[in-house]
Structures are given as C-alpha cells and as structure tokens.
Amino acid sequence: MENFTPISAALGGAMIGLSAVWLMASAGRIAGISGILGGALQAPKADKLWRWTFLLGLVLGPLLVGLFKPSTLQVNFPTTGPLLIVAAVLVGIGTQMGNGCTSGHGVCGNARLSMRSLIATLTFMTTGVLTVFIMRALGGL
Amino acid sequence: MKLPLSTFLSGLLFGGGLTVSQMVNPSKVISFLDITGNWDPSLAFVMGGALVVTFIGYRLVLKGKTPLFEDRFRLPTRKDIDVPLIAGAALFGIGWGLAGLCPGPALASVSFAGTNALIFTATMILTIMAYRLMRARS
C-alpha cells in the first residue's frame, strides 16, 4: 500500500462528480463516456456537437492540471503490444453491449440507484479483479 | 452556443478529475484491481468521491423541470437485467483489467501518454464504430 493516495483520489472523484452534475444540470445528460463517445461516432444523429465539445474538454482537462502539477502526466503502461489491442477491443465491445462503463454505470447509474448499473458495476469489478489475478499468476503485467 | 460550451466545461472538469485522481495512470488502476497482491485502494476513493457528489447533486438538479440549456432531462429508463448487460460488463472488466484503461481515461490520456494511449484509444474507437454499424444493420 506504499502508493496509497486517498486525498487526491477523493478530490479527483469529487471533480468527476461535479462534472456529472453540471452535465445533468446544463444538458440533461448522463456523463457516461462510452455512451457519449458511441453517440458522437454514430453517423446519422443530429445531437452531436455537445458530445464533441464534451470530448474535447475531456482531452484538454489533463493538460490544464498538468500545468500546475506536471507529475500527474507521468503514467505507466504495464500492458503493451498485442495484449493492449485485445484489451481495447474488449473495452470497446463490452461498454457498447453493456451500455456503460465506470462513469455511466459506476458513477451516474449508481448515483441514481439503478439496479442495472449496480449489477454492471459488480460484474466489471469482479472480472477486472479476476483478470489481474490471473495475469499476475501467469507472470504477466 | 451555451449548450456546447457548458458540455465543454463538463468535459474539462471530468478530464481534470481523472488526472488529479490518477485514473489516467494504467499501473495505478491495475494495482487497485490487484487485491491479493500489493493492493492500492486509492481508486475506491475516486468512485466514492464521485458518487457522493453525484448522488447529492442529481437530487438537487432533478428537482427542476428542465435542464438549463435543453428541453428535457434524458435519463435511462430500462430496468431489466439482461444477458447483454452482464456479458458486456464482464467483457469490459476483462479489458479494463488487462490494460488498466477504461474509456474516459483512455481518451483523456491521448494528448500526453504517448503511443500506447493512442493505440489503445484508436483501437477502442474503431471497435465501437464497427460494433454500432453491425448492430444498426441487424
């Protein structure tokens, strides 16, 4: 537990929560990234501008934080190569099939006390933990 | 222009939160999922902090009749627990555990995290487009 950072984690979490609340207050939308991205990529839809400006903000947000704390932009990828591509495909299919990810189900759905989101969250947490356990046992990661 | 500007601010805050909390760092996410190893529970505090604020904020906001810059609130209405929900969440969790990246942090890290972030995000986007195309045709 040498890297335990509860304060910055909770602060960042509160910022994510504020973002979700502001998106609901201003646009009446759920801040689920896989849903916003999926809708932005789907061709015949009128309501795309708000999605793309949200995604632009999402990409620029880290750079803004990095101006004040450059160390936050130093990240590590334990997984690379073909396994990284397999993971990206699973994340792409899984979030669209299950209608949500850590933000849509994990934050917004659970905050609305949605049973679908609770089941989805418990499911992806469980398979995530099992995957890391198996990869560690196999000597990967 | 009020709607796209307000969603831009929301995105900015979201991306900032992912960075402050280190959700954008795959090794940090993987050590959160590594409960039998050298476990780092930090990311539970990300979801905890986000949930508390969203739970309270949604209750205040949804008392209003409409959002500020739209005609209505668009909330998911489905309540059924079906196979795609569970299978999709399970597949997503496997991918999340393999790479330490979920959609938000993947997108947020494209500007600074180098080739791996770009490869992951591009593959994820192409997969989502292909999946949606196939679903629209079936």
Side-chain angles (χ1 to χ4, degrees):
Chain A
M1 297 229 302
E2 69 262 32
N3 296 318
F4 187 39
T5 52
I7 295 170
S8 59
L11 179 69
M15 289 169 70
I16 293 167
L18 271 181
S19 160
V21 172
W22 174 243
L23 193 68
M24 186 57 73
S26 65
R29 296 283 186 164
I30 294 284
I33 307 299
S34 51
I36 293 175
L37 175 64
L41 296 172
Q42 202 163 32
K45 271 270 179 192
D47 69 331
K48 288 216 290 200
L49 180 61
W50 75 268
R51 294 173 188 272
W52 284 106
T53 55
F54 178 91
L55 295 172
L56 179 67
L58 183 64
V59 170
L60 295 179
L63 299 181
L64 202 60
V65 173
L67 288 180
F68 300 95
K69 204 159 184 281
S71 63
T72 55
L73 301 187
Q74 282 160 17
V75 298
N76 254 317
F77 286 78
T79 306
T80 55
L83 208 51
L84 188 68
I85 291 176
V86 170
V89 169
L90 290 173
V91 168
I93 293 175
T95 54
Q96 299 305 306
M97 189 188 283
N99 286 111
C101 52
T102 30
S103 50
H105 281 312
V107 176
C108 299
N110 286 328
R112 295 189 311 118
L113 305 178
S114 152
M115 187 53 73
R116 274 174 66 83
S117 291
L118 180 64
I119 300 281
T121 307
L122 292 174
T123 305
F124 66 66
M125 284 286 179
T126 305
T127 56
V129 164
L130 281 174
T131 302
V132 171
F133 180 79
I134 292 167
M135 290 304 291
R136 291 270 197 241
L138 294 175
L141 292 177
Chain B
M1 284 311 285
K2 284 178 183 165
L3 177 68
L5 190 62
S6 70
T7 64
F8 172 74
L9 289 176
S10 180
L12 208 59
L13 197 53
F14 204 109
L18 290 173
T19 312
V20 170
S21 65
Q22 293 184 62
M23 278 288 290
V24 289
N25 189 356
S27 63
K28 183 89 175 167
V29 174
I30 286 174
S31 33
F32 167 67
L33 295 172
D34 190 18
I35 54 175
T36 60
N38 190 13
W39 189 41
D40 173 5
S42 305
L43 295 193
F45 288 73
V46 184
M47 192 167 271
L51 263 176
V52 168
V53 172
T54 310
F55 182 83
I56 297 168
Y58 269 10
R59 257 138 207 88
L60 298 174
V61 163
L62 292 171
K63 277 183 184 162
K65 284 203 169 60
T66 62
L68 292 171
F69 311 127
E70 268 282 20
D71 56 348
R72 63 188 174 94
F73 293 107
R74 287 171 170 83
L75 297 170
T77 50
R78 286 181 63 177
K79 298 222 182 314
D80 57 315
I81 310 296
D82 59 353
V83 173
L85 176 78
I86 295 171
L91 292 178
F92 162 52
I94 296 170
W96 189 37
L98 278 180
L101 279 168
C102 50
L107 284 163
S109 60
V110 292
S111 66
F112 65 88
T115 321
N116 285 320
L118 291 173
I119 289 173
F120 183 93
T121 308
T123 308
M124 176 182 80
I125 285 176
L126 288 174
T127 307
I128 290 175
M129 292 175 86
Y131 183 86
R132 290 207 161 215
L133 260 177
M134 285 198 297
R135 196 169 54 182
R137 283 182 186 170
S138 63

